[in-house]
Amino acid sequence: MAASAYASPIEKGWYYLHRLICGAVLLFLITPILVVIPLSFNSVPFFTFPMPGLSLRWYEEIFMTERWQGGLRNSLFVGLSVTLLATVLGTLAALGLSRPNFPWRTAVMSVLISPIIVPIVITAVGTYFFYADIGLLNTYTGLILAHTTLATPVVVITVTATLAGYDHSLTRAAASLGASPITAFFKVTLPLILPGMISGSLFAFLTSFDEVVVALFLAGPEQTTLPKVMFSGIREQISPSITAAATVLILFAVTVLTTAELLRRRSERLRGIR
Amino acid sequence: MATTAVQIPGSSDGVPLRIKLQRVERRRKLRAFALVLPLLLFVFITFVMPIGRMMFDAIHDDTLLVLMPRTTVALSVWDGKDLPDERVYAALAGDLKQAWAQKTAGKIGERMNYELAGTASQVKSSARNASTLSAGPYKAAMIEISPIWGQHEVWSLLKRGRSSYTAFYLLRSVDFQYGSDSQIVASPPENAIFRDIFLRTLGISIGVTAATLLLGFPLAYVLAILPPRTSNLLMMGILMSFFTSVLVRTTAWVVLLQDHGVINETLMTLHILSQPAELIFNRFGTVLAMTHIQLPFTLLPIYSVMKSISPNHVRAARSLGAGPFYAFWKVYFPQTLPGIAAGCLLTFILCLGYYITPALVGGPGDMMVSNFVATYTNEQLNWGMASALGAILLTATLLLYFVFNKLVGVDRIKMG
């Protein structure tokens, strides 16, 4: 849509100014993230362009040194456990919430979503006091449970959105043809909501994989995660290995986003929306 | 099939159809609820209970009651006018002896020090000395050991310790405290920092919300009117930024803004600057980074509302003679208000609780409430203050969340 031919000079001027502003805002949004990526391949430990040479030494550092490696291992382990727990709990809840006439739907939904609204420090501090009482501080179990709490809203939101377009007469049709509720779920409902479930679980993984505040409070040296290593690195002396770790996290985010988008399209196609 | 059609109105067992339907309906509701129950229980145990406990900690403190049982009981008959009598001092000596033996004197001192600075070391040394006292009279002996036992405000504090509930932490969070007669007075200037912190948090949040609206609105508008192919491409960029973690985006700003970061080095290489500009560890850096992180949260709801506005409305206004700006302002803009409300409210709520970004790119003067909650928990180990500040922040957040639910609806929160 270009400026129309009959527009006055002021309108044209405004039109181009508006486009310019939008270009600037988009640059503001994306550049900081894109700047980090090339810097992680810098051969010298400075944050300047042009870079004197390319090197993989910072990646070597994060994949070879014990501190980073341990962080990555913990992040993956905690993230996968969280994904499993959050997906099961979140999908079950979303299935219940999407049934017609669910009682107190808004209230229940508000409670289930609240972990992403309540300031993260409050969640972390409250859990820290609570875990201190029951002895879950500095344990994998504690960290996994806390991250699962933060990740379930994401699954609930994603799967509920998928179920919004779900035609309940399909389940009834299966039942009328003699399928038990369990069979009907696995043969009819599950294949249709699977794309939503997978994107939900990917977002759940990302939530845990990126999370730093709860990890700072609840994780001991044993459970140090990748973001926690990054955080202390930024606090002390920021080195390019942090930009390498950041690039890894960006890569994860982009992968998750792309997969979720592809799944969404597939699910729309399956349900015949497009 | 024909038989069932006959059986339903007939209801062979004598139960009316209406009741049967109600039963089925109730069973369905229960079954739906049973599916949600596991998560509801999980969230209750791992989220609601811990936060409830923290809220409780903001008003609950039984340190003095538990560690100085004799003194607090003896003080219940003290009229609070002059110094207490010999009996109370004897109880005090007994409690301090016990505290010294059980090594709890430090805890008592710390608790008293929260309210009366400088008492911690006095209590400790008093406990050590009291353990050598063998017989009374205790009053003169205790005041001899430490002058704090001759101070009226110390006894007021101990008398308040009779209750396991205290408003001290909450009062302190809004810059009030107990005076020497347990009356509520304004905190002295060196302690009165919290109102500033709340105002600062509010100010930064309003600033960031306004900035995201100013930057997000024009961009959302362009995205809504561009052909889908182009706008989808641009949207991918915005979503990429949205899904990159807060930590990574904050890191990016540290890399860009620091003294030898990308911006300063580039400007110096180009001879625009002779020495690095201070871009980080100040308010500018904090607001800039937070605006960058929150921009998609404001933009996306506005965009989704704009997508649903028919372009015919503005065209109709134009054909009726309205100028382009008048048509935009009178016809288009009012229809975007629900999106603006949703986006701004969400950004504002999330801004109130910011922790990572002020901690990494802010200076000491940019720390928000969350940073103080963290400091009191980890460094000062004053859990009462951490809980009280947290309780106030949480209450504000939940109130706004309630407004958000009423205004926008929780169903409108989407991923991407």
Side-chain angles (χ1 to χ4, degrees), chain B residues 10 16 54 64 75 94 96 118 127 135 173 181 183 187 202 212 225 228 231 237 282 319 322 324 331 335 339 351 361:
Chain B
M54 187 203 77
L64 294 177
L75 273 173
L96 285 179
S173 306
D181 285 316
Q183 79 280 31
S187 297
L202 209 63
T212 55
I225 60 169
S231 77
N282 55 25
S319 79
V331 175
Q335 297 189 65
C351 277
V361 293

Side-chain angles (χ1 to χ4, degrees), chain A residues 125-182:
Chain A
V125 169
T127 315
Y128 178 78
F129 294 165
F130 188 62
Y131 281 4
D133 290 345
I134 59 173
L136 273 179
L137 271 185
N138 305 340
T139 62
Y140 281 106
T141 320
L143 187 60
I144 290 170
L145 289 180
H147 272 184
T148 306
T149 315
L150 296 177
T152 48
V154 180
V155 180
V156 171
I157 293 171
T158 321
V159 180
T160 315
T162 316
L163 280 165
Y166 178 73
D167 187 352
H168 284 275
S169 53
L170 290 175
T171 324
R172 282 197 289 274
S176 79
L177 291 169
S180 71
I182 306 278

